[in-house]
Amino acid sequence: QCQLTGLWRNDQDSLMEISAVRDNGDFQGKYLTRVTLAGGCARASPMKGAQQQPGEGGWPTFAFTVRWDKFSNATTAFAGQCFVDAGGKETLTTMWLRREAVGSLEEDWKATR
């Protein structure tokens, strides 16, 4: 069974730390991104999420949001699933949607990636 609690690294060298998953599936932690930052310096941003409790033999799905703290006016939502391979390695697969603030409704078209 996958355990979301712990430190995770993605292929862009960003880090995510999930402190604990509560009995109801809620979790929180911090996300340290290296993407789009000058100088390659990571900055921690708060994250909150929820894990769907897996059925017997199933792999849990989850979702979380990151509020990019102090360096961006954007929020990103992630949704994914945790898998364990035959060797016991845990892997998270996710998709994300990033929303950045814009100044008007006419600029809405460019706000979501």
Side-chain angles (χ1 to χ4, degrees):
Q1 183 176 345
C2 256
Q3 298 295 322
L4 292 183
T5 302
L7 188 64
W8 298 89
R9 180 183 308 272
N10 72 9
D11 55 359
Q12 299 295 316
D13 230 15
S14 296
L15 298 172
M16 176 176 70
E17 184 175 19
I18 298 174
S19 54
V21 178
R22 295 189 180 114
D23 290 340
N24 67 358
D26 290 353
F27 61 87
Q28 61 185 2
K30 57 187 172 182
Y31 197 100
L32 293 89
T33 185
R34 295 194 188 278
V35 178
T36 71
L37 292 175
C41 178
R43 297 192 187 190
S45 294
M47 58 166 291
K48 290 185 180 183
Q51 172 185 289
Q52 178 67 29
Q53 302 301 349
E56 188 174 322
W59 309 117
T61 59
F62 58 89
F64 62 91
T65 58
V66 177
R67 181 178 47 87
W68 302 111
D69 205 19
K70 300 177 184 165
F71 66 92
S72 175
N73 61 351
T75 301
T76 302
F78 294 80
Q81 188 170 3
C82 187
F83 296 97
V84 180
D85 69 14
K89 180 182 177 186
E90 296 173 320
T91 300
L92 304 181
T93 62
T94 62
M95 294 185 71
W96 55 268
L97 192 61
R98 180 178 182 267
R99 177 65 187 213
E100 155 180 349
V102 292
S104 69
L105 183 57
E106 291 74 29
E107 295 178 293
D108 184 62
W109 66 271
K110 66 178 181 179
T112 303
R113 296 185 209 185

